[in-house]
Amino acid sequence: MSEDLYQQAIVALARDASHAGTLEPSEAKITRDNPLCGDRVTLTGRFASDGSLSEIRHKTRGCLLCEAGAAVVAANATGIDAAKAAQAGAEMRAYLNGSADKAPWTSGDAFAPVRAKKSRHDCVTLAFDALSGLFQTRS
Amino acid sequence: MSFDAAALRAQFPIFREEINGKPLHYLDNGATAQMPQSVIDAVSHHESHARANVLRGVHTLAERATEAYEGARGKVAAFLNVPPEEIVFNSGCTAAINLVAYSYGSLLKPGDEIVLSVLEHHSNIVPWQLLAERSGLVLRVLPATEDGRIDVGALSRLTSANTRLIALAHASNVTGAVLDVPSVVGEAAKVGARVLLDGAQRIPQGPLDLQALGVDFYVFSGHKAYAPNGIGVLWARSQILEAMPPFMGGGSMIGRVDFTGTTYALPPRRFEAGTPPIAQAVGLGAAMDFMARLDWASVEAHEMALTQRLMDGLGRIAGARIIGPRGLQGRVPVVSFVVDGIHPHDLAQILDQNGVAIRGGHHCAQPLMEHLDLPGTARASIAPYNDASDIDALLEGVAMARRKLA
């Protein structure tokens, strides 16, 4: 049932503002839009000397699923490199399309009801796509 | 005269569907209207008894197909009070506007200007942007009024001797506001500009007299007017169409093909290259028949009563706000709204659980959303087969969504 889509776990993720905002200054900034629905995620990041992310914030204007995806990304991406960012995105897509059993960076099944709603997968993955792009925009 | 929505609804087989165990409350008519059995039967009958190509074969099925296809053209022409030879079939509004932008647009010169508005659907923006980039044209953009109408009063300062075309929505797909056409036509006449109306949201509201309307181009899509997907109409007066070069080349649109010089058919065939959407056109003709049988005064009274019920109900929900005209004057039954703390997509998803189908998002009107500083809106669009139970189910769903998410 679609109501399950908005179970407490995913609402809680979406409402988690602990990594929301914008880093000023930042070493990298990227905005990704979902052209079909207008959802927008902006990530700003700073990097350690080894190229890994040392700090990240997200600014999201989107649906609850998009906000939840962005919150998960921003809460978990510190310390990862570009390869791991791409891997996380691939794992989330695999989880949503049913070819993997576990979503990256989440405990429990907050995103499980999204799997049955194909039209909403991009809402969740928008921030993951932005994360991969963030490494490429590093100044 | 009271309107029997239940009797009309019974003509639409889709309403036998249940959604999530609930009756279907379909309020996404502005995106796609449902098809009555008569239209479905007409398409099925055509495919079962007259399936063939048009205008080419001489066998019986080809004759039947041609007669059905051209018959549909006649029905559309009658609906719009124009000659059949001024009706060009294509796949929908987007194709029709692209046709005009490419063909009529090729007659324009660098520095010529086209006036649009911030309320336009992307299909009435992007084709002109592509043309402007190709040909060095200038686009001017009319602002919106506070109540979500195209600010026609700004036309006098945005038009000039360079203005060649004013292309606007006859009715907004977001706010439901109906354009003040006489003012637009009047301003266009002052500078000798043509007027194109995107009739996507107006055409489901009944027959039109395009000759009286005084515009130069009119486009609409069949799927918003009880017809199948994949059929649409461009109308323009004969002298305009005859001056326009072909858009797409291929079969049917030619006079004679020769490597020393190909000639082209007269309109409308000049603009219908290749095998056209024949069954879809037949369906559109049946949809015109269906619409012609309706008592439009009663339909309007019924739809406006439901629109009022919806707006009143939203007004009682804390945090809900209507985007567009608050009154019934000068509007179609398309109502956009936002609810504080709930994204339109989430609202639409939760409503679906109650069997309520609405649209949530930017409605292919991102410039308007930027202007409104909104990510999107929820939009309910009403058709004659809707009734009070549809509106009440929507309102109950909005209240439930607020309890859950706001």
Side-chain angles (χ1 to χ4, degrees):
Chain A
M1 283 175 64
S2 61
E3 186 177 23
D4 296 335
L5 208 53
Y6 300 103
Q7 59 180 295
Q8 195 52 43
I10 204 163
V11 173
L13 282 175
R15 301 291 187 244
D16 175 12
S18 57
H19 292 81
T22 304
L23 290 174
E24 294 285 357
S26 66
E27 296 172 78
K29 178 177 182 179
I30 188 168
T31 295
R32 279 286 166 91
D33 293 289
N34 182 337
L36 294 179
C37 65
D39 284 355
R40 175 174 292 174
V41 173
T42 299
L43 299 180
T44 45
R46 295 185 188 130
F47 295 84
S49 56
D50 64 356
S52 64
L53 261 175
S54 61
E55 211 170 352
I56 181 171
R57 292 288 183 275
H58 76 94
K59 189 173 179 185
T60 301
R61 191 178 83 166
C63 65
L64 193 134
L65 305 185
C66 182
E67 288 178 335
V72 166
V73 163
N76 292 278
T78 300
I80 69 164
D81 58 19
K84 284 186 176 163
Q87 183 184 344
E91 286 175 358
M92 181 53 92
R93 278 186 288 277
Y95 174 73
L96 292 173
N97 70 27
S99 56
D101 293 331
K102 188 176 181 317
W105 294 337
T106 56
S107 57
D109 293 324
F111 290 104
V114 187
R115 300 169 90 178
K117 302 287 182 186
K118 190 166 172 48
S119 65
R120 306 298 300 275
H121 290 186
D122 287 350
C123 304
V124 177
T125 58
L126 187 64
F128 286 84
D129 294 341
L131 179 63
S132 284
L134 186 67
F135 285 87
Q136 293 159 19
T137 65
R138 184 182 177 190
S139 56
Chain B
M1 176 181 170
S2 65
F3 180 77
D4 190 348
L8 189 73
R9 197 180 182 99
Q11 297 180 36
F12 290 74
I14 195 78
F15 292 112
R16 293 176 207 141
E17 289 291 307
E18 286 194 341
I19 305 296
N20 296 319
K22 308 276 177 57
L24 169 61
H25 298 288
Y26 189 78
L27 292 165
D28 195 19
N29 299 288
T32 295
Q34 296 300 335
M35 289 200 298
Q37 190 64 53
S38 60
V39 172
I40 296 168
D41 288 346
V43 173
S44 177
H45 183 274
H46 175 83
E47 297 289 36
S48 301
H49 300 284
R51 181 175 168 84
N53 217 316
V54 292
L55 301 171
R56 297 167 199 176
V58 296
H59 55 78
T60 299
L61 294 187
E63 290 284 3
R64 287 179 186 170
T66 299
E67 190 173 334
Y69 183 69
E70 293 303 326
R73 196 190 307 277
K75 291 173 181 178
V76 173
F79 196 78
L80 302 176
N81 190 33
V82 295
E85 59 271 22
E86 295 182 348
I87 298 296
V88 178
F89 283 136
N90 45 51
S91 64
C93 274
T94 299
I97 294 173
N98 274 277
L99 191 167
V100 177
Y102 185 92
S103 174
Y104 178 76
S106 72
L107 306 174
L108 303 183
K109 304 285 188 295
D112 284 348
E113 298 181 4
I114 295 173
V115 178
L116 311 174
S117 89
V118 74
L119 278 93
E120 300 311 307
H121 189 285
H122 295 166
S123 64
N124 197 30
I125 297 174
V126 181
W128 307 114
Q129 289 179 316
L130 294 170
L131 171 64
E133 288 167 13
R134 248 187 346 255
S135 302
L137 307 189
V138 177
L139 301 184
R140 306 282 185 200
V141 182
L142 283 168
T145 63
E146 206 169 299
D147 63 345
R149 298 181 183 279
I150 295 173
D151 185 359
V152 174
L155 258 180
S156 57
R157 60 182 168 80
L158 288 186
T159 52
S160 71
N162 294 326
T163 307
R164 295 289 171 266
L165 182 72
I166 301 171
L168 301 171
H170 194 175
S172 166
N173 72 314
V174 177
T175 69
V178 174
L179 181 70
D180 175 2
V181 178
S183 293
V184 173
V185 170
E187 288 295 331
K190 289 179 189 172
V191 295
R194 303 283 192 199
V195 175
L196 179 148
L197 293 188
D198 169 0
Q201 298 297 326
R202 166 57 186 85
I203 205 69
Q205 304 308 313
L208 277 169
D209 184 346
L210 290 183
Q211 303 200 52
L213 208 56
V215 300
D216 302 289
F217 300 96
Y218 201 89
V219 304
F220 73 87
S221 297
H223 64 271
K224 299 184 195 300
Y226 316 105
N229 292 317
I231 183 69
V233 167
L234 161 66
W235 168 83
R237 282 194 299 279
S238 289
Q239 67 267 32
I240 296 176
L241 288 174
E242 285 167 12
M244 288 165 51
F247 173 38
M248 293 174 63
S252 296
M253 52 73 70
I254 51 92
R256 177 182 174 79
V257 175
D258 191 300
F259 283 114
T260 61
T262 291
T263 61
Y264 307 112
L266 288 171
R269 284 170 52 196
R270 182 186 300 170
F271 303 107
E272 295 180 358
T275 297
I278 302 165
Q280 292 91 328
V282 171
L284 178 60
M288 297 287 105
D289 287 341
F290 164 77
M291 293 178 78
R293 289 193 293 269
L294 296 177
D295 171 359
W296 284 98
S298 297
V299 168
E300 184 182 6
H302 171 71
E303 290 182 337
M304 285 299 117
L306 295 180
T307 302
Q308 189 67 62
R309 188 182 187 96
L310 172 58
M311 293 196 293
D312 288 347
L314 289 171
R316 289 191 293 272
I317 296 174
R321 179 163 54 97
I322 292 166
I323 305 298
R326 271 59 157 188
L328 298 179
Q329 292 299 312
R331 73 168 307 137
V332 293
V334 172
V335 179
S336 268
F337 61 98
V338 293
V339 180
D340 290 345
I342 308 179
H343 190 280
H345 271 176
D346 298 322
L347 182 60
Q349 191 86 63
I350 289 172
L351 286 170
D352 179 64
Q353 185 197 338
N354 282 7
V356 180
I358 65 161
R359 176 62 63 90
H362 56 55
H363 312 295
C364 297
Q366 286 183 321
L368 178 59
M369 294 303 144
E370 287 292 326
H371 168 77
L372 296 168
D373 193 25
L374 293 171
T377 69
R379 183 188 72 181
S381 44
I382 295 164
Y385 42 64
N386 289 124
D387 61 21
S389 73
D390 298 321
I391 305 300
D392 294 348
L394 184 155
L395 294 170
E396 285 165 20
V398 172
M400 184 180 87
R402 260 192 65 77
R403 287 194 297 275
K404 193 170 185 64
L405 295 182

